[in-house]
Amino acid sequence: MNNKLKKIVAVLAALAILTSGWYFFYWLKTPQHSIALMADAVRQHDLKTFEKHVDMDNLYSKAYDDVVAVIFGSDKNANPIIMAIVKGIKGLAVPLLTSETRSYIIHGDKPDGDAEVQKSIPAGNENGAEIVDNLKSRTGFGSLKYEGVENTDINDDNAIVSIKLRDEKLSRDFILKIKMQQLDDGLWRLQEITNLQDFMKEREEAVKAKLAELNKPIAGQIDANVKLDKKLLQITSVHYSAIIRMLETEVNLTNTSGKNVNYIAGMLELYGDDGKIFYSGSFASNAVLRNGSSKLYKFDFELNPYVKEDAAVISSDLSKVKWNAYLTNVAFDDGSSFDYLTELPK
């Protein structure tokens, strides 16, 4: 190698070192690096580092509001009773979520962690734990796997980071957008999830589709043993109220299973012009349906005009509304049964 070529190689090597060094120090000040530090803190049970990079109080407070908005929608603001209950529960749920997270960081999946969380629940506030479990179930965060950062949009000391999460139960990816704020030392702290409502709605639709897929063969088994024929759908008044109405439906069931049926349950669904369900109600009966026989079943659903879904039914022309009734559970006298899945398998 001649001297000229050696000089060129030396310059290129120096540039490579400078570039890699610059990139390394740049990486240390990116939101992605702080996310990596969060993940390391969880693996190493380092609560101090985790709390430096995650504002749990703000994160869970905003997340709680988003979950409530998805569950109650505009009715939350229209009903003062619901608002009072929601605000009261928030005071239980947010500290519990924070306590549960801290315990998980310290103990991981060890039983000691669960015991510590249980000790932190004040007497009489056990419902808070149920609410926390419900929130985790609705978001699906317990079964999501972090796949990496998809995109980062930095604006001064704020950043919106799009991260990819894999849901193995649904065999699909979701994008969660998180807001981060830069700290005085150049590192970043997670403040809130900015698209949690859209994320929840998207995942819930995916769960419904997956459950429908899993329940399709069960529906075939039920139909092969107990045939349902729709007969009547109408709205009537009630003697105990001038405003309450009753939605009545009649279905005929025929048992061809070779066994006696001692319990049935099912769903009634009404569809709008867009094909989407605008009202649904569940029904059940433990009347015995003997093998080879048919029986007419009547089910009632109370309609309150101050509830949005009920009001939509009351104002509808049922003669033009598409509706369906189907069985989700059938139990026989020999102890066997067919049952729809209501949640994804573990």
Side-chain angles (χ1 to χ4, degrees):
M1 183 181 298
N2 58 44
N3 290 334
K4 187 175 181 180
L5 185 58
K6 288 180 179 179
K7 289 179 180 179
I8 292 174
V9 171
V11 170
L12 291 175
L15 286 173
I17 292 171
L18 287 172
T19 302
S20 62
W22 172 86
Y23 181 79
F24 175 73
F25 287 109
Y26 168 78
W27 160 254
L28 292 179
K29 303 300 182 181
T30 63
Q32 294 95 314
H33 175 59
S34 292
I35 291 174
L37 292 177
M38 295 177 211
D40 288 341
V42 174
R43 286 190 290 267
Q44 297 168 12
H45 308 291
D46 183 353
L47 179 61
K48 183 178 180 180
T49 299
F50 184 84
E51 289 188 321
K52 175 180 178 178
H53 294 286
V54 181
D55 185 346
M56 287 190 286
D57 289 338
N58 190 71
L59 172 68
Y60 289 140
S61 179
K62 177 65 166 57
Y64 180 89
D65 292 338
D66 286 337
V67 172
V68 167
V70 171
I71 295 174
F72 293 100
S74 59
D75 290 341
K76 175 180 76 70
N77 295 323
N79 192 321
I81 297 177
I82 292 178
M83 285 189 67
I85 293 174
V86 165
K87 288 181 179 179
I89 293 175
K90 182 177 182 178
L92 302 174
V94 172
L96 265 176
L97 284 165
T98 302
S99 176
E100 206 173 86
T101 302
R102 287 181 176 132
S103 179
Y104 179 79
I105 300 301
I106 296 171
H107 301 285
D109 290 326
K110 295 178 182 178
D112 291 346
D114 294 334
E116 185 173 300
V117 172
Q118 289 299 321
K119 289 179 181 178
S120 69
I121 302 175
N125 288 345
E126 291 80 4
N127 288 337
E130 296 179 12
I131 295 160
V132 168
D133 289 339
N134 189 17
L135 295 181
K136 290 189 294 184
S137 174
R138 299 229 20 160
T139 56
F141 286 160
S143 62
L144 295 173
K145 180 182 177 183
Y146 172 70
E147 292 288 316
V149 174
E150 286 284 288
N151 183 55
T152 303
D153 183 13
I154 300 177
N155 183 14
D156 294 329
D157 60 349
N158 290 294
I160 300 297
V161 183
S162 299
I163 61 176
K164 181 192 291 186
L165 300 174
R166 180 71 177 176
D167 194 318
E168 294 296 348
K169 290 183 178 180
L170 297 173
S171 301
R172 62 169 291 179
D173 298 325
F174 295 92
I175 298 297
L176 197 69
K177 295 184 178 182
I178 59 175
K179 179 180 179 181
M180 302 185 74
Q181 190 172 54
Q182 194 166 32
L183 303 173
D184 292 338
D185 61 3
L187 297 175
W188 295 79
R189 194 179 198 208
L190 194 162
Q191 296 293 318
E192 64 181 74
I193 301 169
T194 63
N195 70 328
L196 185 56
Q197 292 188 40
D198 291 336
F199 171 86
M200 286 180 60
K201 292 173 183 176
E202 182 182 356
R203 186 178 181 277
E204 286 182 359
E205 288 300 317
V207 170
K208 288 179 183 177
K210 186 66 175 181
L211 285 174
E213 175 188 332
L214 296 173
N215 284 326
K216 193 171 182 179
I218 301 173
Q221 291 175 315
I222 291 176
D223 190 58
N225 287 272
V226 181
K227 182 71 175 178
L228 183 150
D229 294 308
K230 299 184 299 178
K231 292 298 182 182
L232 175 68
L233 186 71
Q234 66 179 9
I235 295 177
T236 62
S237 59
V238 295
H239 69 276
Y240 54 83
S241 173
I243 62 172
I244 297 296
R245 295 291 183 267
M246 195 69 71
L247 177 63
E248 298 180 351
T249 185
E250 295 181 0
V251 297
N252 191 72
L253 300 184
T254 302
N255 180 6
T256 60
S257 65
K259 299 174 283 188
N260 295 330
V261 172
N262 57 17
Y263 176 79
I264 61 98
M267 292 294 298
L268 171 70
E269 295 176 346
L270 277 61
Y271 308 94
D273 295 336
D274 57 1
K276 295 182 179 180
I277 299 170
F278 72 88
Y279 178 86
S280 65
S282 59
F283 58 83
S285 173
N286 56 8
V288 175
L289 180 62
R290 298 193 177 280
N291 177 47
S293 66
S294 297
K295 182 183 293 186
L296 188 67
Y297 288 74
K298 298 181 180 182
F299 301 105
D300 299 329
F301 305 85
E302 190 175 86
L303 302 175
N304 186 334
Y306 295 106
V307 176
K308 184 172 65 174
E309 290 79 6
D310 293 3
V313 179
I314 294 173
S315 62
S316 297
D317 181 355
L318 292 188
S319 65
K320 298 179 181 179
V321 170
K322 292 182 179 179
W323 64 284
N324 190 29
Y326 57 93
L327 297 179
T328 58
N329 307 80
V330 175
F332 302 98
D333 57 0
D334 65 353
S336 62
S337 65
F338 297 116
D339 303 284
Y340 268 38
L341 295 173
T342 57
E343 58 183 29
L344 296 175
K346 298 291 185 182

